[in-house]
Amino acid sequence: FKDTKQIARECGIFTKTNNPAHNATGEIIRKLDPSEDHYTDAWETNGNWQGTVRKYDDFVVDEVRRWIAEHNYPEKIDYVQNDGVAKQYHVLYRANVKPCKNVR
């Protein structure tokens, strides 16, 4: 199981500052709406932070790869803030993206 930062890195989705685009990846996953059998919530500690992190299986990783390919590697990923304002995540892609395991 992998978190959104690990999935972003594996799928080659990065911010303009060259960090894994975990927020944009999370939005893609939200759009995919995976069923509960494809994720788990895990308790983690990182320094002073403790909390639950949602982690996804390889099926979801492949679905993220498929989504970005089907959408022609969009540089802007739309999302809506909690206050209802529409925004976009701006992302870049690295060439080392692994191909999907299960191409439709």
Side-chain angles (χ1 to χ4, degrees), residues 32-102:
L32 294 169
D33 192 25
S35 62
E36 289 182 18
D37 56 329
H38 292 293
Y39 65 83
T40 187
D41 292 327
W43 183 262
E44 288 191 356
T45 302
N46 186 355
N48 291 330
W49 180 86
Q50 291 183 354
T52 304
V53 177
R54 183 154 289 177
K55 297 197 173 199
Y56 302 90
D57 66 9
D58 287 336
F59 175 82
V60 174
V61 177
D62 279 345
E63 289 297 300
V64 169
R65 285 191 192 103
R66 186 173 292 108
W67 188 93
I68 61 176
E70 287 175 356
H71 290 83
N72 297 315
Y73 298 86
E75 293 180 4
K76 296 176 184 176
I77 298 172
D78 297 328
Y79 72 99
V80 178
Q81 296 182 148
N82 290 337
D83 62 4
V85 175
K87 295 259 190 163
Q88 294 177 322
Y89 292 114
H90 298 265
V91 299
L92 304 170
Y93 297 92
R94 287 195 181 160
N96 65 346
V97 178
K98 297 176 184 176
C100 298
K101 291 178 185 172
N102 304 312

